[in-house]
Amino acid sequence: MTTADKGRTRFWIVTLVAVLSMGITASMGIWQLSRAAQKKALQTAIATRSALPAWSGAELLAGTRTDEDLHRPVTLTGRWVPGAQVFLDNRPMGGRSGFVLLSPLRLSGSERAVLVQRGWVARNFQDRTALPVVSTPPDEVRVEGRLAPPPSQLFELGAAVDGPIRQNVDLARLSDEWGVALLEGVSVLQTGPADATLLREWPRFAGDTHKHYGYAVQWFAMCAVIAALYLWFQIVLPRSRRRTHGTDPR
């Protein structure tokens, strides 16, 4: 292979690598922009649903609930199921570690119940098995809140353990354990004033769209740098050298 053939081979290899690199970095930038658009749309949808009229228990029970109903406000009346509660472990709030208290609310006029995330309570770090004392009135109560997915699942070492303190919960399993028909695929984040024990500073969805825009700028900048380096070392600099040595075909 002659020197000229080697030069052409190297040129096309570098060109191929440059084109592939530019394609990858540009596509990553476009993907980051699409993620920002998705999160912005979700933020708008959540704000729109949060402004809708609150559902009553009857409206919550009627029809089929979908993800489109999440974050909608609710105002429910019912009674707490006696003796049914779980403290979800390792659930921080405001930078502090503690529990989220879960209790089923049997809706008025129905035998069905909805799982309510009633609020956050600090744990006793000197006795990690000690249960916080939380008032649970036996009379009918009025609960304000918003619809949310069931509590998120955290990584758990070993098999799930039953008991008043748990790392994760499963709605179907809780229904069997408590002997109550829980609504599937949904829970209620209780809002309203916090009491002396329970805090309700639930985090709102943060889209972090600025983060995706920042990443997009970085990817597009990398694409531009690759293009500039390719043009300089493969086009501009070789042509300048040929002109210097009098070999430019033009």
Side-chain angles (χ1 to χ4, degrees):
M1 181 181 293
T2 64
T3 301
D5 290 337
K6 290 181 179 179
R8 281 191 292 268
T9 300
R10 187 182 70 84
F11 174 84
W12 288 113
I13 291 175
V14 172
T15 299
L16 178 61
V17 172
V19 170
L20 288 175
S21 300
M22 291 168 61
I24 291 172
T25 52
S27 63
M28 290 299 295
I30 293 171
W31 180 76
Q32 289 292 344
L33 290 179
S34 68
R35 287 289 294 150
Q38 291 171 6
K39 288 190 174 182
K40 190 172 183 179
L42 181 56
Q43 284 179 315
T44 301
I46 289 175
T48 300
R49 296 171 200 165
S50 299
L52 293 173
W55 270 354
S56 65
E59 290 170 315
L60 178 61
L61 291 169
T64 302
R65 294 169 307 280
T66 67
D67 289 344
E68 298 296 322
D69 300 320
L70 295 178
H71 308 287
R72 184 176 186 132
V74 292
T75 301
L76 309 175
T77 57
R79 295 176 184 268
W80 302 115
V81 177
Q85 65 180 20
V86 165
F87 292 92
L88 274 188
D89 201 1
N90 296 317
R91 307 288 166 148
M93 183 173 288
R96 300 168 60 195
S97 179
F99 304 110
V100 168
L101 174 60
L102 307 179
S103 298
L105 180 72
R106 183 176 280 115
L107 300 172
S108 297
S110 173
E111 289 302 312
R112 306 203 68 186
V114 62
L115 185 68
V116 179
Q117 302 186 50
R118 295 175 57 188
W120 178 93
V121 60
R123 74 176 308 156
N124 185 340
F125 287 98
Q126 296 177 344
D127 182 1
R128 298 181 68 86
T129 62
L131 298 179
V133 178
V134 179
S135 174
T136 303
D139 301 328
E140 186 173 79
V141 296
R142 183 174 183 268
V143 173
E144 296 180 356
R146 65 177 187 267
L147 295 181
S152 59
Q153 300 286 310
L154 301 182
F155 177 75
E156 189 169 10
L157 291 173
V161 178
D162 292 339
I165 298 177
R166 305 185 192 183
Q167 183 86 342
N168 298 298
V169 293
D170 177 78
L171 294 191
R173 188 172 178 180
L174 287 178
S175 291
D176 294 339
E177 180 180 335
W178 290 336
V180 60
L182 287 173
L183 297 180
E184 299 178 357
V186 70
S187 69
V188 170
L189 284 178
Q190 186 173 356
T191 57
D195 56 31
T197 305
L198 295 172
L199 297 180
R200 300 191 181 108
E201 299 172 359
W202 305 113
R204 286 287 185 177
F205 174 78
D208 291 336
T209 54
H210 63 281
K211 176 182 68 176
H212 293 287
Y213 289 131
Y215 288 153
V217 169
Q218 293 178 16
W219 284 114
F220 288 137
M222 289 176 63
C223 181
V225 168
I226 293 171
L229 291 175
Y230 173 81
L231 289 174
W232 175 256
F233 286 105
Q234 295 296 104
I235 305 297
V236 176
L237 191 58
R239 181 169 294 181
S240 175
R241 288 172 176 170
R242 287 196 298 269
R243 286 176 179 174
T244 301
H245 293 85
T247 59
D248 194 325
R250 292 185 303 173

